[in-house]
PDB file of all heavy atoms in Angstrom:
ATOM      1  N   MET B 334       9.626-100.956  67.837  1.00 93.00           N
ATOM      2  CA  MET B 334       9.655-102.342  68.330  1.00 93.00           C
ATOM      3  C   MET B 334       9.201-102.354  69.774  1.00 93.00           C
ATOM      4  O   MET B 334       8.321-103.200  70.177  1.00 93.00           O
ATOM      5  CB  MET B 334      11.074-102.896  68.189  1.00 93.00           C
ATOM      6  CG  MET B 334      11.491-103.174  66.800  1.00 93.00           C
ATOM      7  SD  MET B 334      13.255-103.301  66.641  1.00 93.00           S
ATOM      8  CE  MET B 334      13.556-104.950  67.464  1.00 93.00           C
ATOM      9  N   LEU B 335       9.655-101.366  70.585  1.00 93.00           N
ATOM     10  CA  LEU B 335       9.354-101.365  71.952  1.00 93.00           C
ATOM     11  C   LEU B 335       7.791-101.166  72.176  1.00 93.00           C
ATOM     12  O   LEU B 335       7.080-101.836  72.942  1.00 93.00           O
ATOM     13  CB  LEU B 335      10.018-100.217  72.718  1.00 93.00           C
ATOM     14  CG  LEU B 335      11.484-100.524  73.181  1.00 93.00           C
ATOM     15  CD1 LEU B 335      12.049 -99.160  73.606  1.00 93.00           C
ATOM     16  CD2 LEU B 335      11.443-101.542  74.289  1.00 93.00           C
ATOM     17  N   ASN B 336       7.234-100.283  71.334  1.00 93.00           N
ATOM     18  CA  ASN B 336       5.708-100.008  71.431  1.00 93.00           C
ATOM     19  C   ASN B 336       4.990-101.126  70.883  1.00 93.00           C
ATOM     20  O   ASN B 336       3.903-101.429  71.412  1.00 93.00           O
ATOM     21  CB  ASN B 336       5.457 -98.673  70.669  1.00 93.00           C
ATOM     22  CG  ASN B 336       5.891 -97.504  71.514  1.00 93.00           C
ATOM     23  OD1 ASN B 336       5.827 -97.586  72.713  1.00 93.00           O
ATOM     24  ND2 ASN B 336       6.401 -96.503  70.811  1.00 93.00           N
ATOM     25  N   ALA B 337       5.480-101.907  69.955  1.00 94.00           N
ATOM     26  CA  ALA B 337       4.874-103.171  69.519  1.00 94.00           C
ATOM     27  C   ALA B 337       4.767-104.076  70.594  1.00 94.00           C
ATOM     28  O   ALA B 337       3.695-104.787  70.857  1.00 94.00           O
ATOM     29  CB  ALA B 337       5.550-103.642  68.265  1.00 94.00           C
ATOM     30  N   VAL B 338       5.863-104.239  71.469  1.00 93.00           N
ATOM     31  CA  VAL B 338       5.792-105.212  72.501  1.00 93.00           C
ATOM     32  C   VAL B 338       4.812-104.695  73.502  1.00 93.00           C
ATOM     33  O   VAL B 338       4.120-105.517  74.118  1.00 93.00           O
ATOM     34  CB  VAL B 338       7.254-105.358  73.152  1.00 93.00           C
ATOM     35  CG1 VAL B 338       7.203-106.004  74.385  1.00 93.00           C
ATOM     36  CG2 VAL B 338       8.176-105.890  72.217  1.00 93.00           C
ATOM     37  N   ASN B 339       4.714-103.355  73.754  1.00 93.00           N
ATOM     38  CA  ASN B 339       3.749-102.828  74.639  1.00 93.00           C
ATOM     39  C   ASN B 339       2.321-103.236  74.272  1.00 93.00           C
ATOM     40  O   ASN B 339       1.505-103.663  75.082  1.00 93.00           O
ATOM     41  CB  ASN B 339       3.813-101.276  74.649  1.00 93.00           C
ATOM     42  CG  ASN B 339       4.784-100.802  75.643  1.00 93.00           C
ATOM     43  OD1 ASN B 339       5.399-101.536  76.358  1.00 93.00           O
ATOM     44  ND2 ASN B 339       5.344 -99.536  75.509  1.00 93.00           N
ATOM     45  N   LEU B 340       2.009-103.057  72.986  1.00 93.00           N
ATOM     46  CA  LEU B 340       0.721-103.434  72.471  1.00 93.00           C
ATOM     47  C   LEU B 340       0.368-104.900  72.708  1.00 93.00           C
ATOM     48  O   LEU B 340      -0.690-105.238  73.123  1.00 93.00           O
ATOM     49  CB  LEU B 340       0.625-103.069  71.015  1.00 93.00           C
ATOM     50  CG  LEU B 340      -0.707-103.299  70.298  1.00 93.00           C
ATOM     51  CD1 LEU B 340      -1.809-102.424  70.963  1.00 93.00           C
ATOM     52  CD2 LEU B 340      -0.678-102.888  68.859  1.00 93.00           C
ATOM     53  N   LEU B 341       1.379-105.756  72.478  1.00 92.00           N
ATOM     54  CA  LEU B 341       1.267-107.141  72.630  1.00 92.00           C
ATOM     55  C   LEU B 341       0.915-107.461  74.116  1.00 92.00           C
ATOM     56  O   LEU B 341       0.077-108.308  74.439  1.00 92.00           O
ATOM     57  CB  LEU B 341       2.521-107.869  72.222  1.00 92.00           C
ATOM     58  CG  LEU B 341       2.500-109.305  71.890  1.00 92.00           C
ATOM     59  CD1 LEU B 341       1.522-109.577  70.827  1.00 92.00           C
ATOM     60  CD2 LEU B 341       3.841-109.838  71.516  1.00 92.00           C
ATOM     61  N   LEU B 342       1.697-106.727  74.989  1.00 92.00           N
ATOM     62  CA  LEU B 342       1.483-106.992  76.453  1.00 92.00           C
ATOM     63  C   LEU B 342       0.098-106.652  76.828  1.00 92.00           C
ATOM     64  O   LEU B 342      -0.615-107.383  77.603  1.00 92.00           O
ATOM     65  CB  LEU B 342       2.478-106.207  77.252  1.00 92.00           C
ATOM     66  CG  LEU B 342       3.857-106.843  77.342  1.00 92.00           C
ATOM     67  CD1 LEU B 342       4.831-105.852  77.928  1.00 92.00           C
ATOM     68  CD2 LEU B 342       3.760-108.057  78.351  1.00 92.00           C
ATOM     69  N   VAL B 343      -0.447-105.510  76.361  1.00 92.00           N
ATOM     70  CA  VAL B 343      -1.825-105.055  76.630  1.00 92.00           C
ATOM     71  C   VAL B 343      -2.852-106.153  76.094  1.00 92.00           C
ATOM     72  O   VAL B 343      -3.815-106.436  76.808  1.00 92.00           O
ATOM     73  CB  VAL B 343      -2.008-103.625  76.089  1.00 92.00           C
ATOM     74  CG1 VAL B 343      -3.526-103.246  76.324  1.00 92.00           C
ATOM     75  CG2 VAL B 343      -1.134-102.720  76.743  1.00 92.00           C
ATOM     76  N   VAL B 344      -2.526-106.613  74.931  1.00 91.00           N
ATOM     77  CA  VAL B 344      -3.414-107.616  74.366  1.00 91.00           C
ATOM     78  C   VAL B 344      -3.585-108.863  75.260  1.00 91.00           C
ATOM     79  O   VAL B 344      -4.599-109.359  75.633  1.00 91.00           O
ATOM     80  CB  VAL B 344      -3.006-108.021  72.909  1.00 91.00           C
ATOM     81  CG1 VAL B 344      -3.768-109.273  72.445  1.00 91.00           C
ATOM     82  CG2 VAL B 344      -3.218-106.901  72.001  1.00 91.00           C
ATOM     83  N   PHE B 345      -2.333-109.300  75.644  1.00 91.00           N
ATOM     84  CA  PHE B 345      -2.339-110.497  76.514  1.00 91.00           C
ATOM     85  C   PHE B 345      -2.920-110.216  77.897  1.00 91.00           C
ATOM     86  O   PHE B 345      -3.576-111.094  78.428  1.00 91.00           O
ATOM     87  CB  PHE B 345      -0.865-110.927  76.713  1.00 91.00           C
ATOM     88  CG  PHE B 345      -0.311-111.711  75.488  1.00 91.00           C
ATOM     89  CD1 PHE B 345       0.888-111.451  74.987  1.00 91.00           C
ATOM     90  CD2 PHE B 345      -1.207-112.653  74.872  1.00 91.00           C
ATOM     91  CE1 PHE B 345       1.362-112.096  73.929  1.00 91.00           C
ATOM     92  CE2 PHE B 345      -0.633-113.324  73.707  1.00 91.00           C
ATOM     93  CZ  PHE B 345       0.650-113.079  73.275  1.00 91.00           C
ATOM     94  N   SER B 346      -2.709-108.992  78.372  1.00 91.00           N
ATOM     95  CA  SER B 346      -3.303-108.657  79.608  1.00 91.00           C
ATOM     96  C   SER B 346      -4.827-108.655  79.588  1.00 91.00           C
ATOM     97  O   SER B 346      -5.529-109.160  80.463  1.00 91.00           O
ATOM     98  CB  SER B 346      -2.821-107.187  79.956  1.00 91.00           C
ATOM     99  OG  SER B 346      -3.675-106.637  80.912  1.00 91.00           O
ATOM    100  N   LYS B 347      -5.476-108.252  78.476  1.00 90.00           N
ATOM    101  CA  LYS B 347      -6.861-108.359  78.238  1.00 90.00           C
ATOM    102  C   LYS B 347      -7.339-109.777  78.120  1.00 90.00           C
ATOM    103  O   LYS B 347      -8.372-110.155  78.611  1.00 90.00           O
ATOM    104  CB  LYS B 347      -7.151-107.544  76.847  1.00 90.00           C
ATOM    105  CG  LYS B 347      -8.650-107.376  76.582  1.00 90.00           C
ATOM    106  CD  LYS B 347      -9.256-106.290  77.424  1.00 90.00           C
ATOM    107  CE  LYS B 347     -10.756-106.126  77.130  1.00 90.00           C
ATOM    108  NZ  LYS B 347     -11.405-105.466  78.243  1.00 90.00           N
ATOM    109  N   LEU B 348      -6.471-110.565  77.427  1.00 89.00           N
ATOM    110  CA  LEU B 348      -6.829-111.943  77.270  1.00 89.00           C
ATOM    111  C   LEU B 348      -6.893-112.739  78.586  1.00 89.00           C
ATOM    112  O   LEU B 348      -7.755-113.541  78.803  1.00 89.00           O
ATOM    113  CB  LEU B 348      -5.749-112.641  76.352  1.00 89.00           C
ATOM    114  CG  LEU B 348      -5.934-114.027  75.850  1.00 89.00           C
ATOM    115  CD1 LEU B 348      -7.099-114.149  74.869  1.00 89.00           C
ATOM    116  CD2 LEU B 348      -4.673-114.570  75.238  1.00 89.00           C
ATOM    117  N   HIS B 349      -5.878-112.471  79.479  1.00 88.00           N
ATOM    118  CA  HIS B 349      -5.882-113.178  80.687  1.00 88.00           C
ATOM    119  C   HIS B 349      -6.748-112.527  81.698  1.00 88.00           C
ATOM    120  O   HIS B 349      -6.859-112.910  82.867  1.00 88.00           O
ATOM    121  CB  HIS B 349      -4.439-113.210  81.284  1.00 88.00           C
ATOM    122  CG  HIS B 349      -3.562-114.120  80.448  1.00 88.00           C
ATOM    123  ND1 HIS B 349      -3.762-115.491  80.316  1.00 88.00           N
ATOM    124  CD2 HIS B 349      -2.339-113.837  79.840  1.00 88.00           C
ATOM    125  CE1 HIS B 349      -2.840-115.923  79.570  1.00 88.00           C
ATOM    126  NE2 HIS B 349      -1.975-115.021  79.232  1.00 88.00           N
ATOM    127  N   GLN B 350      -7.363-111.400  81.482  1.00 89.00           N
ATOM    128  CA  GLN B 350      -8.170-110.591  82.397  1.00 89.00           C
ATOM    129  C   GLN B 350      -7.322-110.267  83.609  1.00 89.00           C
ATOM    130  O   GLN B 350      -7.662-110.612  84.771  1.00 89.00           O
ATOM    131  CB  GLN B 350      -9.469-111.397  82.766  1.00 89.00           C
ATOM    132  CG  GLN B 350     -10.329-111.594  81.672  1.00 89.00           C
ATOM    133  CD  GLN B 350     -11.005-110.317  81.192  1.00 89.00           C
ATOM    134  OE1 GLN B 350     -11.163-109.380  81.938  1.00 89.00           O
ATOM    135  NE2 GLN B 350     -11.224-110.171  79.910  1.00 89.00           N
ATOM    136  N   ASP B 351      -6.143-109.647  83.429  1.00 87.00           N
ATOM    137  CA  ASP B 351      -5.180-109.572  84.521  1.00 87.00           C
ATOM    138  C   ASP B 351      -4.407-108.236  84.227  1.00 87.00           C
ATOM    139  O   ASP B 351      -4.085-107.972  83.094  1.00 87.00           O
ATOM    140  CB  ASP B 351      -4.212-110.821  84.364  1.00 87.00           C
ATOM    141  CG  ASP B 351      -2.980-110.758  85.189  1.00 87.00           C
ATOM    142  OD1 ASP B 351      -3.090-110.129  86.319  1.00 87.00           O
ATOM    143  OD2 ASP B 351      -2.005-111.322  84.800  1.00 87.00           O
ATOM    144  N   MET B 352      -4.126-107.441  85.220  1.00 88.00           N
ATOM    145  CA  MET B 352      -3.562-106.162  85.073  1.00 88.00           C
ATOM    146  C   MET B 352      -1.974-106.150  84.875  1.00 88.00           C
ATOM    147  O   MET B 352      -1.477-105.162  84.544  1.00 88.00           O
ATOM    148  CB  MET B 352      -3.931-105.258  86.298  1.00 88.00           C
ATOM    149  CG  MET B 352      -5.323-104.832  86.265  1.00 88.00           C
ATOM    150  SD  MET B 352      -5.931-104.121  84.761  1.00 88.00           S
ATOM    151  CE  MET B 352      -5.296-102.518  84.981  1.00 88.00           C
ATOM    152  N   ASP B 353      -1.410-107.315  85.176  1.00 87.00           N
ATOM    153  CA  ASP B 353       0.095-107.341  85.122  1.00 87.00           C
ATOM    154  C   ASP B 353       0.658-106.788  83.823  1.00 87.00           C
ATOM    155  O   ASP B 353       1.650-106.005  83.819  1.00 87.00           O
ATOM    156  CB  ASP B 353       0.607-108.739  85.335  1.00 87.00           C
ATOM    157  CG  ASP B 353       0.537-109.185  86.800  1.00 87.00           C
ATOM    158  OD1 ASP B 353      -0.017-108.342  87.603  1.00 87.00           O
ATOM    159  OD2 ASP B 353       1.022-110.245  87.125  1.00 87.00           O
TER     160      ASP B 353
END
Side-chain angles (χ1 to χ4, degrees):
Chain B
M334 288 162 73
L335 277 171
N336 285 324
V338 172
N339 277 347
L340 184 58
L341 198 62
L342 278 168
V343 174
V344 169
F345 283 136
S346 163
K347 187 79 182 161
L348 184 71
H349 290 301
Q350 297 294 326
D351 169 32
M352 288 307 279
D353 281 8

